Amino acid sequence: MTPEAAKQDKHTFVLNMGPQHPSTHGVMRVILEMDGEHILEPEPVLGYGHRIQEKMGEARPWPGFMPNTSRMDYLSAMIYNHGYVSLIERMTGIEVPRRAEFIRVITDELNRIQSHLLWLGAFLLDLGAFTPIMYTFDDREQILDILEDVTGSRLTYCYHRVGGVARDIDEKFVERTRAFIARLRSRFKPIYYDLVTSNIIFIKRVKDVVSFTPELARRYGLTGPPLRSTGISYDIRKNEPYSIYPEFDFEVPVGTKGDCLEVYNIRVAEMEQSLRIIEQALDRLPEGPFRNKIPRKVKLPQGDATFSVETARGELTYYLVSDGSDVPYRLKIRVPSFSNLSVLQELCRNMLLSDLVMSLGTLDLVIPEIDR
Amino acid sequence: MNEYFSDLFSGAKSLLVGLSVTIREMFKPVVTVQYPREKLEITPNFRGHTELVKDPETGTHKCISCMMCQKECPSDCIRVKGEKREGVKGLALVSYSLDFTKCSLCGTCVEVCPTAALEYSQEYELAGYSSDEFRFDLLKRLEER
Amino acid sequence: MDISILPPELIRIVISAVIIIAFVFLNAMVLGYAERKLAGYIMRRPGPMEVGPQGILQLMIDGVKLIGKQLIVPKESGHALFRIAPLLAFIPVGLAFVVIPFSDKLQARDLDVGLVFMLAIMSVNVVAVLVAGWSSNNKYSLFGAIRSVAQNVAYEIPMLLSLLSVVLMANTLSLKGIVLAQHPVWYVVCQPLAFIIYFVAGLAETNRAPFDLPEAESELTAGFHTEYSGMSFSLFILAEYTNMFFVCSIAVVLFLGGWSGIPLPFYAYSGGIWFLLKVYALLFVMIWVRWTYPRVRFDQLLNFCWKYLIPFSLVNLMLTAILVKLWPVVF
Ligand code: SF4
Ligand code: SF4
């Protein structure tokens, strides 16, 4: 029966998924118009975790927004920090020492791997496999330990500072990171590939299920791995290079068909690329100061500026308008998950409930980031 | 038809490979610890709530009540009270209250302090029955230490 | 009171009922513990550790907790049916024990149609799930129930077909007879395909991962038992574990030679040790599988059944029938 006919026939009913549901990954609600197990119309409802983050940025001098940046996408906290400090640096022209740039890139990439690992586990959990998340957490713990040692925190790092980073890294950090790189590389094949990637049930579940098309992606501003799975190679680290990314040799994995399997493969490949970047950065880590002294009260010059970074989920853009004081006049944050979620309605029409759960998992949403 | 059988065989093989992964992991040692009984060592760099530094020379704090931390704190959770006292340069600290329920653990206060009078505590097992238990008077805590 | 005035049959029934109920609980406890412990080790964590040495008393405490909990009946539910459903799931599981041949002498009743009886009893479970899902008046529960019915109906077919090929060879439906018929070789050797099909169908029949769609947590929260709490919830769990036990004991009886093994003293009774060992080995595989695979999708589940299991079991059945007919002719 076609969706329209089903609606006419009053075969349909409304299923409320969330705000508390195991696979909405947070307090999000999806209202589903259903015909049996088929979804006719999914409608995401947002705002359960809204915390006026942008307004908070406009209510205090700019350094005061630093802790907030860690609390939108708590899985890419480091990258969010990076974007914000870089925006301020771009506006004020504050210099960053080279060593600090290296440290930023290393911590960013560690953060990205951590986020992808968590996603991998949670995605498999959505598909009903309970074990992989424990293995990924085992690996993720290593990253958190490394980062905790340098930042003092496990999730909301608040580590990057305008003009550098908060604390220098030492030999121990370098050693532990190298050990971690070796460890994760040695686990891809025997654990993740054998247990997950090659598994027939997994492949059958994710292959050819949704189709992200370049046209759809453009219309909704899709970014991150779902966009790259359509074959569009768009990664801020390459397309609009920031920090010292151009100095590193890495690839942006892209797909062709835009199905969930490709998104999965891209994320796994991205982890490997991140390991490559970290390795190169560690090899070339320069000596020198890790933080420039900046004047106590830095006013933001009048005007506006944007800064984009590539988080684990896609493009993050900070846009700041200043009236010349040290309190931003307007701060706008473009978060990747929000745009990525907006495709859901079109993507998941006439899909099975199980596939909707899987597609939500593929988009790798962090709800507090959407709600801000 | 060919695909039908190749699917069957490769699928069955992948399932067996998956089983072999889990059985292998099963015999590997456990990686978790039994938390309240065993504890992991936490890094000395851990950022807990702030604490006044005990100066080993004088045996007391180093705060000069300059209010820098109070002013800079983005979460507005510090209240420093100082008073003029005989024989003390600047202001003598009367109380330093930290509202840990609001603190966002950003570290600004520690960084701006001109005399390095603040440090992070290593306390991570904070639990209580009311939010009042997290409104610390750091001066009192220092004296109790 | 002189109990000899009571009919001996009644005493036997009472005693066996007590033993069966005790066994049902014990089995659920052992399995529940094993499941959590094995899941733990597979995930490289120790599993329950706090109650008793290595946490072996955990399940007992859980049981006490569940019994102590309030039974919440949703306002909008069909009250009577809502309460009946757990009993409907639980009561039949006691009945099936009657025909299981634990060893030569440890069998309550050797029915001529033991196998059919057991399968019939096991299928009552699906009715219980349907009633539970329907009466909960919760869309997620209803989904769980619908899925469960579709799944069970589909998987009963390959299951029966694969068992039928064994029955053709053994030429009897009595469970004891089948065990005795596998004297020189176990049927798993002559019927490996039937064994695999049966085991896969059995996984689906007991709603175990990767076929745990009726309770698919990430999709349906808890599926058909979403609204159940306390003891009524635990009755479902008991029924589920006992059903697993049945599925595995049928596999052992039909394919793995029942109680046969290295002879022990008092073999007529102690053969039960072999029987239980084999059953629990199969249960271990079930648990192991659960903690390895993702869940299949609903249409794939049915596709797999119709496209692979049923054709294969039909072919297997036909070959068996032909061979059984030809064997005496040729040799
Ligand atoms: S850590 Fe940050 S939020 Fe907490 S008291 Fe210090 S300045 Fe305030
Ligand atoms: S900034 Fe340091 S010295 Fe000044 S009031 Fe705060 S703790 Fe005391």
Side-chain angles (χ1 to χ4, degrees):
Chain A
M1 193 176 285
T2 63
E4 285 68 33
K7 262 186 222 173
Q8 296 249 310
D9 252 26
K10 299 240 180 335
H11 268 345
T12 67
F13 62 98
V14 171
L15 184 70
N16 211 346
M17 189 169 150
Q20 269 90 31
H21 187 277
S23 49
T24 51
H25 299 276
V27 264
M28 188 184 69
R29 176 170 158 214
V30 189
I31 299 175
L32 303 167
E33 170 110 46
M34 310 271 294
D35 173 18
E37 287 237 11
H38 284 270
I39 292 159
L40 301 179
E41 192 72 42
E43 187 192 341
V45 182
L46 308 177
Y48 289 93
H50 191 46
R51 290 154 299 162
I52 51 164
Q53 295 281 17
E54 290 175 0
K55 194 71 203 163
M56 279 197 250
E58 297 161 13
R60 58 192 67 183
W62 62 261
F65 191 60
M66 273 304 294
N68 293 56
T69 57
S70 305
R71 285 164 174 78
M72 282 178 270
D73 181 353
Y74 45 78
L75 293 178
S76 301
M78 199 71 92
I79 308 175
Y80 265 67
N81 286 174
H82 193 161
Y84 188 66
V85 297
S86 301
L87 172 76
I88 302 294
E89 282 155 7
R90 179 175 279 178
M91 285 198 92
T92 55
I94 291 170
E95 292 280 310
V96 188
R98 236 180 108 67
R99 185 177 170 85
E101 291 281 22
F102 273 82
I103 299 176
R104 282 182 186 178
V105 167
I106 294 168
T107 49
D108 273 7
E109 294 307 316
L110 281 175
N111 202 210
R112 191 186 315 277
I113 297 173
Q114 175 265 111
S115 169
H116 282 349
L117 280 174
L118 188 136
W119 166 80
L120 202 155
F123 182 51
L124 264 292
L125 208 56
D126 286 345
L127 294 177
F130 299 95
T131 306
I133 194 166
M134 294 294 166
Y135 298 160
T136 60
F137 261 60
D138 188 9
D139 285 328
R140 183 171 172 265
E141 269 321 274
Q142 314 286 328
I143 301 187
L144 295 189
D145 282 347
I146 294 171
L147 288 179
E148 184 187 18
D149 203 20
V150 54
T151 66
S153 192
R154 292 175 81 80
L155 204 61
T156 50
Y157 305 108
C158 199
Y159 172 62
H160 296 179
R161 292 284 190 275
V162 172
V165 291
R167 188 189 270 127
D168 200 4
I169 59 175
D170 52 9
E171 255 327 290
K172 192 164 142 243
F173 175 89
V174 176
E175 244 165 58
R176 284 176 84 176
T177 313
R178 279 194 200 283
F180 170 75
I181 294 173
R183 177 199 154 102
L184 189 58
R185 282 209 176 127
S186 73
R187 277 168 70 94
F188 275 132
K189 166 79 179 77
I191 301 217
Y192 300 128
Y193 182 80
D194 283 351
L195 183 60
V196 180
T197 319
S198 69
N199 189 300
I200 179 88
I201 301 177
F202 171 76
I203 294 176
K204 290 270 179 208
R205 276 300 301 275
V206 297
K207 203 171 170 195
D208 297 328
V209 175
V210 304
S211 58
F212 298 105
T213 58
E215 184 266 336
L216 179 87
R218 286 213 177 86
R219 226 154 9 95
Y220 283 99
L222 205 65
T223 48
L227 169 70
R228 292 195 278 276
S229 74
T230 66
I232 301 177
S233 167
Y234 180 74
D235 185 319
I236 307 287
R237 291 175 294 173
K238 281 272 191 221
N239 293 55
E240 226 178 283
Y242 56 98
S243 193
I244 45 164
Y245 277 110
E247 292 177 29
F248 298 119
D249 174 28
F250 67 100
E251 280 146 32
V252 177
V254 288
T256 48
K257 287 192 307 195
D259 63 358
C260 292
L261 183 62
E262 284 196 331
V263 180
Y264 169 89
N265 284 333
I266 286 173
R267 287 218 168 88
V268 174
E270 265 177 25
M271 281 197 256
E272 287 170 41
Q273 294 302 325
S274 293
L275 289 179
R276 264 179 76 192
I277 298 175
I278 298 171
E279 209 166 37
Q280 294 170 41
L282 288 176
D283 285 340
R284 288 192 253 153
L285 187 67
E287 290 298 320
F290 64 94
R291 186 172 183 181
N292 283 346
K293 269 250 158 300
I294 63 165
R296 171 132 290 155
K297 278 248 178 297
V298 183
K299 287 220 157 70
L300 299 173
Q302 207 162 6
D304 60 349
T306 64
F307 200 93
S308 302
V309 287
E310 182 78 21
T311 75
R313 265 152 280 282
E315 175 180 341
L316 160 75
T317 305
Y318 286 101
Y319 174 61
L320 197 154
V321 183
S322 166
D323 54 3
S325 70
D326 61 348
V327 182
Y329 173 72
R330 176 80 179 97
L331 179 67
K332 160 78 192 148
I333 305 160
R334 184 257 185 231
V335 293
S337 289
F338 182 77
S339 317
N340 289 5
L341 173 68
S342 61
V343 298
L344 187 80
Q345 207 156 7
E346 204 170 315
L347 201 66
C348 296
R349 256 180 220 145
N350 305 324
M351 217 178 225
L352 283 174
L353 181 64
S354 326
D355 285 340
L356 174 95
V357 166
M358 200 261 315
S359 321
L360 270 177
T362 312
L363 292 171
D364 190 12
L365 303 172
V366 170
I367 310 301
E369 177 192 14
I370 300 174
D371 286 344
R372 271 166 292 150
Chain B
M1 204 60 198
N2 231 342
E3 205 185 318
Y4 178 84
F5 283 105
S6 72
D7 244 24
L8 188 65
F9 284 116
S10 65
K13 194 175 145 242
S14 79
L15 293 180
L16 291 179
V17 168
L19 280 178
S20 77
V21 173
T22 39
I23 196 96
R24 237 186 306 136
E25 291 295 307
M26 200 171 113
F27 291 107
K28 285 192 190 157
V30 163
V31 290
T32 55
V33 296
Q34 286 303 98
Y35 163 59
R37 291 174 219 299
E38 298 167 69
K39 284 183 186 174
L40 294 173
E41 220 175 281
I42 60 163
T43 149
N45 297 338
F46 177 73
R47 267 181 10 217
H49 64 82
T50 52
E51 202 80 272
L52 287 168
V53 178
K54 197 171 208 153
D55 194 344
E57 280 170 30
T58 60
T60 178
H61 61 85
K62 297 199 274 190
C63 175
I64 52 172
S65 316
C66 70
M67 310 274 178
M68 278 304 291
C69 52
Q70 179 178 327
K71 245 180 275 161
E72 293 287 319
C73 171
S75 311
D76 194 21
C77 50
I78 304 175
R79 288 284 171 276
V80 183
K81 228 202 229 140
E83 63 177 24
K84 207 78 193 121
R85 258 192 222 149
E86 286 290 310
V88 186
K89 252 208 286 167
L91 294 170
L93 190 63
V94 178
S95 78
Y96 188 112
S97 68
L98 168 72
D99 186 353
F100 190 52
T101 57
K102 289 202 272 174
C103 170
S104 47
L105 294 170
C106 64
T108 311
C109 50
V110 176
E111 281 173 27
V112 295
C113 181
T115 58
L118 291 172
E119 65 179 354
Y120 301 111
S121 94
Q122 296 278 303
E123 190 67 59
Y124 62 95
E125 294 170 306
L126 289 156
Y129 290 101
S130 88
S131 55
D132 282 333
E133 287 173 48
F134 303 106
R135 305 214 166 88
F136 305 132
D137 187 346
L138 295 191
L139 193 60
K140 234 188 244 139
R141 283 177 73 94
L142 180 78
E143 279 155 13
E144 277 161 20
R145 252 191 300 163
Chain C
M1 192 177 100
D2 187 7
I3 58 163
S4 60
I5 56 163
L6 295 173
E9 196 60 9
L10 186 69
I11 299 173
R12 257 184 65 177
I13 289 175
V14 169
I15 292 178
S16 41
V18 169
I19 293 178
I20 284 170
I21 300 281
F23 186 80
V24 166
F25 275 85
L26 196 72
N27 170 60
M29 249 159 67
V30 170
L31 272 187
Y33 177 70
E35 174 131 61
R36 291 174 63 175
K37 215 59 186 167
L38 288 174
Y41 282 116
I42 283 175
M43 294 169 176
R44 308 199 51 194
R45 57 189 175 82
M49 278 300 263
E50 293 300 317
V51 194
Q54 289 288 315
I56 44 173
L57 298 180
Q58 182 67 50
L59 265 285
M60 229 145 93
I61 298 292
D62 283 356
V64 171
K65 183 197 80 178
L66 283 170
I67 291 171
K69 279 211 165 163
Q70 188 194 353
L71 232 161
I72 299 167
V73 181
K75 225 186 190 157
E76 304 278 304
S77 67
H79 287 250
L81 285 181
F82 187 81
R83 284 167 193 266
I84 287 172
L87 294 176
L88 206 53
F90 183 70
I91 291 171
V93 302
L95 285 176
F97 271 105
V98 173
V99 291
I100 296 182
F102 287 96
S103 76
D104 204 5
K105 292 253 167 68
L106 282 176
Q107 187 183 17
R109 270 267 180 282
D110 185 24
L111 294 184
D112 287 346
V113 286
L115 185 61
V116 176
F117 176 74
M118 205 148 162
L119 292 170
I121 291 292
M122 273 166 54
S123 347
V124 176
N125 191 40
V126 64
V127 179
V129 170
L130 179 64
V131 170
W134 179 258
S135 65
S136 295
N137 198 8
N138 174 325
K139 287 166 192 162
Y140 287 111
S141 305
L142 189 57
F143 265 133
I146 293 171
R147 285 179 175 195
S148 172
V149 171
Q151 173 176 340
N152 276 281
V153 169
Y155 273 80
E156 213 115 280
I157 300 167
M159 193 166 182
L160 293 179
L161 288 177
S162 63
L163 292 183
L164 210 54
S165 17
V166 172
V167 172
L168 278 184
M169 287 179 75
N171 214 2
T172 169
L173 279 169
S174 131
L175 293 177
K176 199 169 184 178
I178 295 174
V179 172
L180 293 175
Q182 324 180 32
H183 188 54
V185 276
W186 295 352
Y187 283 149
V188 68
V189 182
C190 350
Q191 293 280 2
L193 192 61
F195 176 65
I196 293 170
I197 291 172
Y198 170 74
F199 196 69
V200 172
L203 281 176
E205 189 71 19
T206 47
N207 302 337
R208 294 285 294 181
F211 307 114
D212 56 345
L213 288 128
E215 39 203 284
E217 191 217 321
S218 52
E219 295 153 27
L220 303 183
T221 57
F224 66 87
H225 56 63
T226 307
E227 298 286 358
Y228 282 91
S229 58
M231 203 50 210
S232 48
F233 167 74
S234 47
L235 284 182
F236 277 117
I237 301 296
L238 281 174
E240 183 188 323
Y241 279 132
T242 318
N243 260 331
M244 280 167 67
F245 184 85
F246 289 152
V247 166
C248 289
S249 29
I250 292 183
V252 169
V253 168
L254 268 78
F255 295 98
L256 298 176
W259 64 81
S260 60
I262 302 162
L264 298 165
F266 302 109
Y267 193 54
Y269 295 98
S270 60
I273 296 175
W274 289 122
F275 182 84
L276 286 181
L277 265 183
K278 289 177 198 168
V279 170
Y280 281 102
L282 283 182
L283 285 168
F284 167 76
V285 176
M286 273 193 164
I287 293 173
W288 178 20
V289 163
R290 167 163 185 200
W291 298 101
T292 305
Y293 300 139
R295 180 182 309 123
V296 298
R297 204 174 54 208
F298 190 57
D299 54 329
Q300 290 167 348
L301 174 97
L302 296 181
N303 264 349
F304 179 64
C305 180
W306 295 109
K307 270 165 72 179
Y308 288 95
L309 292 185
I310 292 180
F312 273 96
S313 49
L314 271 177
V315 169
N316 191 49
L317 181 64
M318 240 152 68
L319 287 181
T320 314
I322 293 167
L323 277 179
V324 167
K325 259 273 168 279
L326 286 185
W327 197 264
V329 180
V330 180
F331 299 99

